[in-house]
Amino acid sequence: MQQRGEEDRGFAFNALLVLHDTMTSKKHILPTALYIHIPFCAKKCNYCDFNSMVSESRVVDRYLHALSKELDTLASQYTFTTIYIGGGTPSLLSEIQLERLLRSVIRYNATSQTQEYTVEANPGTLTANKVRLLKEYTVNRISLGIQSFQDRQLQFLGRIHSGDDARNVFTLLRSAGFKNINIDLIFGCPEQTPDDWKKDLEIAIALNPEHISTYALTYEGETPLTRDLKNEVIRKLDEYTELEMYKTAIEYLTLNGYNHYEISNFAKSGYECSHNHVYWRNTSYVGVGAGAHSFIDGMRMSNEKDVFRYIHGMHENKEVKSFRECLPQDHFVSETVIMALRLRQGITNTDFYERFGSTIQDQFGDTISILRKAGLVSYDDERLKLTEKGLFVADTVMAEFIYI
Ligand code: SF4
């Protein structure tokens, strides 16, 4: 891992690749982040509404071919400082498939320019050989979908791995030399007690990863868990306990040296996720693969979500974008503030002015004044951010900045 110190972190937070069009005076923000979507999983988890499916190996082969073609035509136009291979379960690929994917990424991108190269992995599918391949192909950050260390919890969520698998894979990654590992954890499951959650946090802290993401369980779309909820087979954990669990995470993790830098994310100093900062700062990125989103120069696009239609489109050299929208400036401004409020450091007037040519106060003066009076945001030293009180009702606060 190319370790990033405080100075580099500042770069990741503040620098945008901006080109000025001398004819029109328009600023063009070039994408610096590449997302690659692998939409395959060994089994669908009970809570999962992501674009992923269980599939045969030959479909995966055809998909990788299509992906490589898309990388060839699109991603080669840019230089990326961050690359993120997510899913789905990228670690599900066979060793041959994984090497093929990693080779196509390294072939089409100046990875020597890449500061952060993340691959998501499921503890149930990562082997010593795959870890070796990741290392060999310069991947320097692993995001482990652990969710819990307790088997009862993992079974409830429908995960394919056990708590022991999670610990063993973490050790395997460390002994292979990975120095930047994220652990994903879920809280707020029915019947999960505050003590269960504390135990998960304690085990995570003892492993000493550089980054921890904590997410409250949500009931999306038509997942088995949503069905069980509707049929009253299970009951949601009450909001009070869920909020207490979130507070426990903040307290435990900050006490143990993790900086709470984003609503759901905690990192040791210098290990904040640079790739996700691109989303939180609402700047440009490129997504490849089925259903992947891109945001380039004010234009939002997404690829065909259906894996087979995506493969077919790429095979036939057809357009695979299923959605394009040129974001109106007011929406862009509003989205930028909402996304930035996710960061504990919020957004500065200088940053806002550089991008939009006006101050946050000019745009949202009345809203800020009401929220300040309610103690939900602070606007000191020209920086707008959530207060601790605002953090616990973040969705409500952010909704006040939605452009109508
Ligand atoms: S491993 Fe992740 S993407 Fe795959 S089904 Fe489970 S939650 Fe969804």
Side-chain angles (χ1 to χ4, degrees):
M1 166 67 190
Q2 182 191 339
Q3 297 297 334
R4 290 173 298 107
E6 289 293 317
E7 303 79 7
D8 293 319
R9 185 155 56 89
F11 169 83
F13 280 33
N14 299 318
L16 298 176
L17 254 179
V18 179
L19 282 190
H20 292 265
D21 185 329
T22 45
M23 302 290 282
T24 62
S25 308
K26 192 181 172 210
K27 282 183 193 171
H28 298 284
I29 299 177
L30 294 181
T32 56
L34 171 67
Y35 174 78
I36 300 169
H37 190 63
I38 303 296
F40 306 107
C41 290
K43 163 184 178 291
K44 276 301 270 187
C45 299
N46 295 337
Y47 58 96
C48 181
D49 191 34
F50 302 144
N51 184 23
S52 69
M53 63 193 275
V54 179
S55 198
E56 296 166 30
S57 188
R58 63 191 172 91
V59 176
V60 180
D61 282 336
R62 286 171 53 211
Y63 181 81
L64 291 179
H65 182 71
L67 202 57
S68 171
K69 216 166 160 185
E70 194 187 3
L71 275 169
D72 201 5
T73 56
L74 180 65
S76 57
Q77 299 167 41
Y78 308 105
T79 299
F80 296 107
T81 51
T82 69
I83 297 175
Y84 194 106
I85 304 182
T89 309
S91 57
L92 174 73
L93 302 181
S94 69
E95 285 162 28
I96 291 173
Q97 289 167 337
L98 183 63
E99 183 155 22
R100 226 174 110 195
L101 170 68
L102 296 171
R103 206 182 297 136
S104 58
V105 176
I106 212 154
R107 189 153 58 108
Y108 296 119
N109 295 283
T111 44
S112 55
Q113 304 273 349
T114 304
Q115 297 163 8
E116 187 184 273
Y117 182 4
T118 306
V119 173
E120 282 183 352
N122 181 315
T125 55
L126 202 55
T127 61
N129 278 344
K130 290 182 195 177
V131 170
R132 187 186 46 74
L133 276 175
L134 294 171
K135 194 78 190 142
E136 194 181 310
Y137 282 87
T138 71
V139 172
N140 57 22
R141 184 173 185 270
I142 302 291
S143 180
L144 273 181
I146 286 180
Q147 320 310 354
S148 174
F149 292 97
Q150 293 165 52
D151 292 345
R152 185 173 54 90
Q153 209 69 20
L154 291 166
Q155 277 156 21
F156 171 81
L157 294 170
R159 303 288 300 179
I160 58 165
H161 63 90
S162 66
D164 282 347
D165 291 338
R167 277 183 277 244
N168 293 340
V169 158
F170 190 92
T171 311
L172 180 67
L173 286 165
R174 277 291 193 238
S175 48
F178 280 97
K179 296 192 176 82
N180 191 356
I181 303 176
N182 168 57
I183 282 181
D184 278 350
L185 294 175
I186 287 182
F187 64 93
C189 301
E191 304 195 11
Q192 183 184 25
T193 65
D195 278 346
D196 290 336
W197 176 232
K198 280 181 194 163
K199 212 164 151 194
D200 271 345
L201 289 169
E202 277 163 11
I203 299 172
I205 290 165
L207 286 175
N208 203 22
E210 284 64 35
H211 193 285
I212 298 179
S213 303
T214 61
Y215 301 104
L217 179 66
T218 53
Y219 297 84
E220 313 282 348
E222 294 300 313
T223 64
L225 275 198
T226 307
R227 218 170 34 239
D228 284 352
L229 190 69
K230 278 184 194 155
N231 295 336
E232 299 184 358
V233 177
I234 55 169
R235 284 214 332 231
K236 256 189 189 172
L237 194 70
D238 66 277
E239 275 179 24
Y240 174 80
T241 311
E242 189 179 297
L243 183 60
E244 287 305 304
M245 286 179 170
Y246 180 48
K247 288 181 179 174
T248 303
I250 297 172
E251 192 189 318
Y252 264 45
L253 294 173
T254 46
L255 257 178
N256 283 279
Y258 292 89
N259 170 29
H260 183 205
Y261 74 99
E262 195 269 349
I263 288 178
S264 307
N265 288 285
F266 302 81
K268 295 202 170 168
S269 182
Y271 289 93
E272 295 82 359
C273 180
S274 297
H275 184 84
N276 286 344
H277 264 93
V278 171
Y279 304 137
W280 296 321
R281 299 199 69 229
N282 209 20
T283 61
S284 296
Y285 52 87
V286 175
V288 296
H293 296 255
S294 300
F295 187 39
I296 305 171
D297 222 8
M299 176 78 80
R300 238 180 239 309
M301 294 162 275
S302 61
N303 280 355
E304 174 57 63
K305 201 174 166 190
D306 181 89
V307 168
F308 296 98
R309 280 206 291 268
Y310 169 78
I311 293 173
H312 182 73
M314 288 309 302
H315 183 70
E316 300 287 313
N317 296 319
K318 286 186 181 151
E319 174 62 274
V320 292
K321 294 271 175 282
S322 62
F323 173 81
R324 275 176 204 272
E325 175 197 37
C326 189
L327 206 61
Q329 184 73 354
D330 331 18
H331 292 247
F332 191 13
V333 169
S334 157
E335 265 188 20
T336 303
V337 172
I338 291 170
M339 292 306 286
L341 282 175
R342 294 195 60 90
L343 293 166
R344 296 311 319 274
Q345 64 170 12
I347 184 167
T348 63
N349 240 335
T350 313
D351 191 6
F352 189 87
Y353 193 86
E354 261 173 31
R355 293 182 69 180
F356 302 113
S358 63
T359 65
I360 309 176
Q361 190 73 32
D362 288 342
Q363 295 278 341
F364 300 103
D366 293 346
T367 308
I368 292 172
S369 160
I370 294 166
L371 293 170
R372 274 179 91 183
K373 272 189 201 136
L376 298 170
V377 299
S378 66
Y379 188 55
D380 305 328
D381 303 323
E382 305 260 294
R383 183 186 289 279
L384 176 71
K385 60 180 187 176
L386 292 176
T387 58
E388 198 176 313
K389 186 177 169 192
L391 179 68
F392 301 130
V393 285
D395 288 347
T396 313
V397 177
M398 287 172 189
E400 295 299 318
F401 291 91
I402 292 176
Y403 179 81
I404 304 168

